[in-house]
Amino acid sequence: MSAPAYLWGQLSRALNADNDRRMGKVLDAIAGINAGRIAVGDPVPTKGMPAWVTPEIIRGGFATGHAAASGPLTDSEQALAAEHGIPATRAALFQWALTDAGLTWLQGLLDQQTYQVRLPEQAALLTVAHLLRTGHPTEAAGILDTIRPYADKLQFLPTPLTAPVPDGVHIATIGDAVTALEQKKPRRQVETQRIANSIWNPFTDELVKLWWDTRDDAGTIGRTFPDFWGNQAQDLLDVYAALSDEHDLPSRHRKPGSTVQILLTATRATLAGDRTQIHRARTVVGDVVAKRGAPGSETLQTLRRAQQEDAAKPSHAAVAKATADALRPHADVLTNTPLDLIAGTPGEHLPFVRRTVDRARHAPIGQLIHVGIITSAEGLAEVAPQLAGSAIAARYTAPIAGPLAAATFSAFQNRRTVLLLNYQTQVQVTALPWYQALTDTTETTGSARNSLVRQANTLAKYAIESFPGTVLPNAFLRVIAELYRQADLALPVTYELAADIFMGGFSKNFVDAARIAHDYVAGGRYTLYARYYGLSAHAPADTHTFAEEAYRRAGITSYSRWGSNAVAGSIIEQAQILTTHNLALVVHTGTTIDWETAANAAFIRTVQPELYAAQQKHGLRQRKNAAYAWRQVVFYLTMAGPDVTDRFLEQARKAADRHRAGAASAALLDDLERAHRDEPIEKPFYGWVTRTNDR
């Protein structure tokens, strides 16, 4: 199988962005696919790699063929080897961890809870140490037999911490901030200006002075050439040649009509006995002196001093790297005040540095949302595994096993998902032998079931209230689905399907989700949602009838995998309408919010801005966003009831009158009001547009 066109597009974007690291990973993915080492669409995409190994995944869900836990030794691994006099190899560290000294070290981390697990593999030897201490040597041996062949390749040791992980969550760590700061590259435009100020502007002044010294008594340039002029002129031409070899010439100095080029041309011609270019030099020098001052004047000197001082300042990239060096000793610190760690450094007041470091703040999720560190549902998805961890820990009666299981679970949920085909599912956390062994050998409490469901509902509530009208990302949904599964609830979470790999059908989860949704939006309650979207009286009974209904509603009679993405997207959108894309599901599990507030917020903060953007050129993505947000508005109003819909329509019309997308908003509200009155509407607002369903 050849590499998909998507990857070649990613490679092109990486080249344009001059991102060597990203480019290398895309090339690895392309090479692996072309060589047959990577199977696109499989849950375990890299051939020969066990399911429990975390694959390195790049954008689009493609594997690079490498394990995420591979690569050079981390700083903590190197420090551990140095501290205990162990050879700096993973194999040596693995063997040491199984000695009395190593097991004592691991058990100390467990007792004090001073460890961090960023990749699930890092919990393996911790679990072995726990099992050995609690009388389960057979299970410990089974784990070791499984992972030992990879002892020299993968990180099986946790990162030690100086203190237990405090309450709260983080979207990045100090170590992540160090990496981001180190990768900061100089801006070409800024560096070009720096070179101009420090190199080329002083050289230009010398050229101007060379010609300024050719004035006669009347002040006319090019009339009197001192005896030394020829030697100085040749010296400047030689300097120009040397500087050109060493430094890029700014574009403004490369142009044939620029000051530098005109004066260089006039200088070369004059040295060769050709005086035809003198008049051009005369004009240019006169203009420069009138603008900046004569050579040696206070005006010119003041300007050049300021430029030299600016050029002498370290670049933002240099400041970022210096700040990274200062932060590196704190790479494993979790703190609510990360900016304190860069107090007194050159980057303390640099906005880019401050944003990067503050992003590593460890704090309650509400604080991260309030201060703008978490700005989207995607950001919420990044911290959802950490929030879910406390609920996972509550399942275990043992005080050591609970936090260890939670850390393993959270790390696994951060595992990037792979692109799947043929209705396959992602690898589950139970594929980790050490997680399964921990569950099998530790007593769990049934009372934790409510805690798991409550945590899932809390996450859903955060998403709906904090980011109204935005899609619930698949990564976020996977955490919720796993919480439900751990609570022994077989709830049909449905994920957003990609139009470009749509297989043409739907899994049973969609049927079950549509049945639940039907009870809430078309089952005898206030049926605004059903009226607006024209839902059938009965929910689809099986996958065949569900697909038929989605096709019928999309106006599609047949589908080919190699056809239009817009056709696939239209079918998928109808499936989301039939299931409410998990909104009815979270209500079904007990999530309660202020539906009226949510409807107003989704309309004002998402629908109208996206509607306006959708009217611009290339606005299809914004139209899809607007349609998704509008669907949420209709659902929220359905949950709130008819009285709330009356108030919403009144307030929304006032908001529409003041908005740039007022006309488009008014059209949506008109149709909503007709549905509210149980009157027919011509066509609901959809995001995907095909020739057959364009509105």
Side-chain angles (χ1 to χ4, degrees), residues 497-567:
L497 304 178
D500 56 350
I501 59 168
F502 180 54
M503 305 298 295
F506 300 91
S507 67
K508 186 176 181 295
N509 261 20
F510 282 85
V511 179
D512 295 339
R515 189 175 297 117
I516 291 174
H518 190 272
D519 290 342
Y520 284 90
V521 299
R525 307 184 183 206
Y526 175 52
T527 55
L528 176 66
Y529 188 96
R531 293 173 190 167
Y532 181 82
Y533 287 109
L535 297 187
S536 301
H538 303 287
D542 52 41
T543 56
H544 178 71
T545 54
F546 182 92
E548 276 190 338
E549 180 68 359
Y551 277 60
R552 181 192 68 77
R553 293 176 56 81
I556 306 299
T557 57
S558 63
Y559 175 73
S560 166
R561 270 196 64 197
W562 316 114
S564 164
N565 282 354
V567 170

Side-chain angles (χ1 to χ4, degrees), residues 154-204:
L154 305 181
Q155 303 171 41
F156 288 118
L157 288 171
T159 300
L161 302 176
T162 56
V165 175
D167 291 337
V169 295
H170 53 269
I171 203 166
T173 65
I174 299 296
D176 295 330
V178 169
T179 300
L181 292 172
E182 287 178 331
Q183 292 176 349
K184 173 71 173 175
K185 291 186 176 181
R187 290 178 57 190
R188 182 173 178 80
Q189 182 179 1
V190 173
E191 291 307 301
T192 298
Q193 186 61 50
R194 184 190 308 279
I195 292 172
N197 286 342
S198 61
I199 304 296
W200 293 109
N201 288 348
F203 175 77
T204 303

Side-chain angles (χ1 to χ4, degrees), residues 31 47 60 100 154 173-174 177 181 267 283 289 299 330 353 360 392 410 427 550 587 597 654:
K47 295 180 180 179
D100 288 343
L154 305 181
T173 65
I174 299 296
L181 292 172
T267 301
T283 301
V289 169
T299 300
H330 310 288
V353 170
I392 295 297
S410 297
V427 172
V587 175
T597 299
K654 291 178 181 177

